[in-house]
Amino acid sequence: MASNFFDERPNNLCKMCGMCCKVATSGVSYGQMQLEAKKGFQSSIDFLTIFRKYESYEEAYKVNPTHVENVKRAMQEVYGENFVPEFYYCIYLNEDNSCKIYQNRYEVCKRAPASPWMLMAPECGYNDWLKEQRAKHMKYVIDLKEIVAILKDYPLDYFVEAKGKTAGQLIEEYQKIIDSYKRYGSDNW
């Protein structure tokens, strides 16, 4: 999609529920994040500086059972039914859900939610907006699939003047974009 998710994301939807700080998770394991941090990956360094891993799944579950179960279910669809996600809590969260370092908070905090595909707690003010964003991305991918289907009716060397590329080049370009959404279920759209 041409526009940047962060440029479009409103900053006034946060309800200060604190759930993104109380039950955070990551797409990579704690061990993988530690390795990345040792290699100098700034996002992993920042995440491990801010967040502490819950000792157990049950400990995170006590904080927000619905959200923890939703995340577990979604991650098991990707990683298999035996996958148990790891959850984290922020060391800078005050009891009133305000941030102790808000003026100097880390980039990972400023960018949350970082993707339209992030699962936020049910009480999060971003949920409706994220749902709208997911729908936009889904429509974009569906439209690309339709364009690819049409382009396949042309010879691969057919030059599409408006795009300055051949049908084959466009099919390859669009297919890469479509494929990048597979982890979100685009095969079923």
Side-chain angles (χ1 to χ4, degrees):
M1 292 187 59
S3 62
N4 183 323
F5 175 75
F6 296 106
D7 292 341
E8 293 182 5
R9 189 186 65 201
N11 291 322
N12 61 342
L13 298 178
C14 180
K15 294 181 178 176
M16 299 290 293
C17 70
M19 285 300 138
C20 56
C21 304
K22 292 177 184 176
V23 282
T25 192
S26 172
V28 299
S29 71
Y30 182 67
Q32 179 66 32
M33 206 176 312
Q34 288 177 313
L35 289 173
E36 290 176 0
K38 286 180 183 174
K39 291 180 181 178
F41 287 40
Q42 194 60 50
S43 60
S44 293
I45 293 168
D46 290 352
F47 192 93
L48 293 172
T49 299
I50 302 163
F51 292 100
R52 297 297 175 266
K53 186 176 174 285
Y54 281 106
E55 293 297 320
S56 67
Y57 173 85
E58 292 74 21
E59 191 179 356
Y61 184 87
K62 289 176 188 174
V63 176
N64 191 321
T66 303
H67 180 55
V68 168
E69 278 298 310
N70 287 345
V71 169
K72 179 182 176 185
R73 192 174 325 113
M75 292 182 91
Q76 285 178 338
E77 286 179 18
V78 175
Y79 300 111
E81 65 182 38
N82 295 323
F83 182 83
V84 179
E86 299 167 316
F87 290 92
Y88 305 83
Y89 60 92
C90 178
I91 62 172
Y92 297 111
L93 186 67
N94 289 312
E95 284 190 32
D96 67 353
N97 294 331
S98 64
C99 178
K100 293 176 185 171
I101 60 165
Y102 185 81
Q103 295 304 321
N104 299 306
R105 68 195 185 283
Y106 290 81
E107 197 61 31
V108 68
C109 304
K110 292 176 186 177
R111 296 173 71 89
S115 155
W117 309 102
M118 284 187 75
L119 283 177
M120 304 304 285
E123 53 271 42
C124 178
Y126 279 100
N127 279 323
D128 289 340
W129 185 78
L130 290 171
K131 186 177 179 180
E132 290 172 16
Q133 296 307 303
R134 286 190 291 273
K136 285 182 186 177
H137 283 263
M138 290 169 80
K139 182 182 180 331
Y140 173 66
V141 171
I142 290 166
D143 290 348
L144 285 179
K145 285 181 174 184
E146 290 175 3
I147 292 168
V148 166
I150 291 167
L151 288 170
K152 286 182 177 179
D153 288 337
Y154 290 87
L156 293 178
D157 62 351
Y158 177 80
F159 190 74
V160 181
E161 214 170 303
K163 294 292 185 175
K165 296 179 181 180
T166 66
Q169 290 171 321
L170 289 171
I171 290 169
E172 184 178 331
E173 178 182 324
Y174 295 160
Q175 194 59 54
K176 284 181 184 176
I177 295 168
I178 292 166
D179 290 347
S180 72
Y181 284 87
K182 280 187 176 186
R183 63 182 169 188
Y184 307 119
S186 66
D187 286 340
N188 301 316
W189 303 343

